[in-house]
Amino acid sequence: MRGADPRPVTLGSVSSPTSRRVALLTLGCARNEVDSEELAGRLTAGGWELVDAEQDAEDADVIVVNTCGFVESAKKDSVDTLLAAADTGAKVVAVGCMAERYGSELAASMPEADAVLGFDHYPDLAERLDDIVAGRTVESHTPVDRRTLLPITPVQRPTAAADVAVPGHGWGPRVLRTRLDSAPVAPLKIASGCDRRCSFCAIPSFRGAFVSRHPDEILAEAAWLAEQGVRELFLVSENSTSYGKDLGRELGGADALQHLLPRLAAVPGIARVRVSYLQPAETRPGLVRAIATTPGVADYFDLSFQHSSESVLRRMRRFGSTDSFLELIGRIRSLAPAAGVRTNVIVGFPGETEADLAELERFLTEARMDAVGVFGYSDEEGTEAAGLADKLDEDTIAERVARVSALVEQLTADRAEERVGEEVVVLVEQAETEDTDCVGRAAHQAPEVDGECVLTDADGLAVGSLVRGVVTAAEGVDLVVRPVEVVLEAPARPAAVSAGGTR
């Protein structure tokens, strides 16, 4: 049942609603999840009560939908979620990447949304929701190319960034974040934006130029997450290999990430640190060594290859080749033979020939990666690739996606089979019940995007504990693991977990 209609209370000349309940729904990537928890922190600090978005949405006065605007399917999912939220009778506010990218255009096409707010609204979101519930008009966001808001030269950005709203940045010593679930793993943002100009990607235009967070700010948030019962930190950004290039030599410069990793791994209560979103052309030997050999850092390499044919990569405005990528993977495995390696690839890019596709298949076959996401190319408005010639028709792209997906399914299953007999350390994320298995992830498995481990004989294993075990079987990319010993007991959980939701 929906809460009572808000009744304005006059405080001087300002009217504020008496009922201030808000639900958060999150779509898209782990970066959006962090942004939602920042918004939750800002809203609770502003006097709003969080309600569970999945179970109690009808009790909310406002539903805030953190949208994704990356590809067409994500945009459709965002629109569908906004429409479903409107059906509850609550006020509906769109934020996130789709809202930032389209702003007033989205607002005009979707009257069901009471407001479409961009990143510049985040610092004052509690006040804007007060306005919306009280019936005051809030002007929707007007999009700009956010790359133009910061200096071109990275080292000039830290000072200028203080005047630009960048989600997850500039909190200072106080952690402005409220957890929306009790999972033992949490994303931790180390940077925002991207300076690369991949011809198929629109993200930099609405996420902005690359900006690193200060190491002390990241470490403070890591310590806070550990206090909330988090065991694994999942470091996220648009491009983690650029971390530190704008911080100056005194903070490590371009090598800042390899210096930050051991400091994060040493945070009391944190058992594992995982790095995501690595660009192969920027993955330097020192960073490879740090990820592969630092105790407490998962030997896991999330490498954005996208393709391996040199001609396709050049049209993508990227660098590399099959042989250079295989050499990088070889260096990784020389340091950590059991390291996890995953990637995403785009097939059907404009001008892709059968020879290009065969080159990609050669790379995938020889690379022996643990997980590969396969995506068919589609035009994304505002990108260079949308104007390229030699477009492939939809049927050809679909056929190539099916062909490469079948190959990947077999290759990743074979790679999982190779792990039978290996010893792994599993972070338990779901305890065993009468209806569910005990499930967790090993070092080579990231949340949601990779496979998982099913632990047998797992009675008594608690969420958040780390268990050493032996792989006894593989089922596709998933592993069956027999526990040997608990190497770290589950942490004490916080007394209460804030309400919220993701999708």
Side-chain angles (χ1 to χ4, degrees):
M1 176 177 174
R2 192 184 166 202
D5 290 335
R7 300 174 186 172
V9 175
T10 301
L11 299 173
S13 60
V14 179
S15 294
S16 297
T18 56
S19 181
R20 303 172 84 209
R21 294 186 295 273
V22 60
L24 281 159
L25 280 171
T26 308
L27 297 100
C29 64
R31 299 183 293 277
N32 258 16
E33 293 176 20
V34 177
D35 291 350
S36 284
E37 294 196 346
E38 176 191 347
L39 294 179
R42 292 185 181 279
L43 289 169
T44 54
W48 282 80
E49 175 190 351
L50 294 175
V51 300
D52 190 288
E54 299 293 344
Q55 299 181 21
D56 303 313
E58 292 188 357
D59 292 331
D61 299 292
V62 182
I63 298 177
V64 175
V65 180
N66 192 349
T67 60
C68 179
F70 181 41
V71 292
E72 202 59 40
S73 59
K75 297 173 197 173
K76 182 181 184 303
D77 195 18
S78 294
V79 169
D80 290 345
T81 303
L82 288 165
L83 292 173
D87 287 342
T88 66
K91 300 287 187 180
V92 176
V93 175
V95 299
C97 290
M98 189 176 180
E100 176 65 36
R101 186 176 182 183
Y102 296 104
S104 52
E105 179 186 345
L106 176 63
S109 65
M110 178 163 285
E112 293 85 356
D114 294 275
V116 176
L117 306 181
F119 299 148
D120 293 334
H121 290 97
Y122 283 18
D124 304 313
L125 187 63
E127 290 86 348
R128 298 294 74 75
L129 296 195
D130 283 344
D131 291 336
I132 290 164
V133 173
R136 296 185 287 269
T137 300
V138 176
E139 187 174 348
S140 292
H141 164 66
T142 300
V144 298
D145 187 334
R146 293 192 74 83
R147 291 171 294 189
T148 64
L149 302 181
L150 292 172
I152 293 176
T153 304
V155 293
Q156 296 176 339
R157 291 176 192 162
T159 301
D163 299 321
V164 176
V166 181
H169 291 245
W171 299 345
R174 182 171 68 96
V175 176
L176 192 60
R177 179 173 178 175
T178 296
R179 294 218 68 200
L180 295 175
D181 61 38
S182 59
V185 57
L188 173 58
K189 185 180 290 188
I190 62 172
S192 292
C194 185
D195 289 341
R196 299 181 68 88
R197 294 294 180 266
C198 300
S199 64
F200 55 84
C201 183
I203 289 175
S205 66
F206 55 85
R207 275 291 183 176
F210 184 88
V211 184
S212 302
R213 293 181 71 190
H214 193 285
D216 291 346
E217 191 174 297
I218 296 171
L219 288 161
E221 188 173 346
W224 178 83
L225 287 168
E227 293 172 357
Q228 310 306 305
V230 169
R231 283 296 201 209
E232 179 179 313
L233 302 174
F234 186 36
L235 307 187
V236 299
S237 71
E238 274 75 28
N239 177 9
S240 295
T241 39
S242 282
Y243 179 75
K245 72 176 187 179
D246 53 335
L247 293 180
R249 291 183 180 179
E250 67 277 9
L251 294 176
D255 295 327
L257 183 55
Q258 67 192 64
H259 299 307
L260 177 63
L261 288 175
R263 298 178 68 190
L264 285 169
V267 172
I270 297 301
R272 191 156 68 196
V273 178
R274 183 182 305 277
V275 185
S276 65
Y277 306 110
L278 301 173
Q279 290 291 342
E282 299 177 30
T283 305
R284 295 170 294 279
L287 181 58
V288 170
R289 181 173 294 277
I291 295 174
T293 65
T294 302
V297 175
D299 50 354
Y300 173 83
F301 292 81
D302 175 15
L303 292 158
S304 177
F305 291 120
Q306 301 300 345
H307 212 283
S308 72
S309 164
E310 288 188 70
S311 61
V312 173
L313 288 168
R314 297 306 174 269
R315 289 195 295 279
M316 289 180 168
R317 301 295 184 196
R318 297 175 67 85
F319 303 95
S321 65
T322 294
D323 292 339
S324 68
F325 292 163
L326 290 174
E327 191 274 333
L328 173 58
I329 293 174
R331 279 192 282 122
I332 290 168
R333 289 181 173 146
S334 70
L335 294 168
V341 182
R342 72 127 30 232
T343 196
N344 293 320
V345 296
I346 299 173
V347 298
F349 194 79
E352 181 190 65
T353 64
E354 278 290 338
D356 293 325
L357 193 64
E359 185 69 1
L360 175 61
E361 290 171 326
R362 178 172 81 88
F363 166 64
L364 294 171
T365 301
E366 295 184 26
R368 297 171 39 251
M369 287 180 282
D370 295 272
V372 180
V374 182
F375 299 91
Y377 171 81
S378 61
D379 285 339
E380 190 62 28
E381 61 188 290
T383 63
E384 179 186 353
L388 291 177
D390 301 321
K391 297 283 179 63
L392 280 66
D393 63 74
E394 291 184 4
D395 289 343
T396 299
I397 293 174
E399 184 276 327
R400 292 186 179 185
V401 168
R403 171 176 155 184
V404 175
S405 296
L407 174 64
V408 161
E409 184 177 358
Q410 183 60 56
L411 291 171
T412 53
D414 291 345
R415 176 63 177 150
E417 284 285 350
E418 292 175 8
R419 294 190 180 274
V420 173
E422 279 187 10
E423 188 177 84
V424 293
V425 176
V426 178
L427 173 64
V428 177
E429 294 184 318
Q430 175 182 288
E432 184 179 54
T433 69
E434 291 184 2
D435 302 317
T436 62
D437 293 320
C438 181
V439 174
R441 291 176 298 103
H444 70 281
Q445 297 168 321
E448 298 184 7
V449 295
D450 300 334
E452 60 187 17
C453 294
V454 177
L455 293 114
T456 59
D457 303 319
D459 185 38
L461 293 180
V463 171
S465 58
L466 267 79
V467 180
R468 190 183 312 280
V470 176
V471 180
T472 59
E475 299 175 354
V477 296
D478 297 332
L479 303 179
V480 178
V481 176
R482 174 175 54 82
V484 174
E485 63 171 334
V486 176
V487 296
L488 193 62
E489 295 288 349
R493 309 305 297 176
V497 176
S498 301
T502 61
R503 285 192 180 181

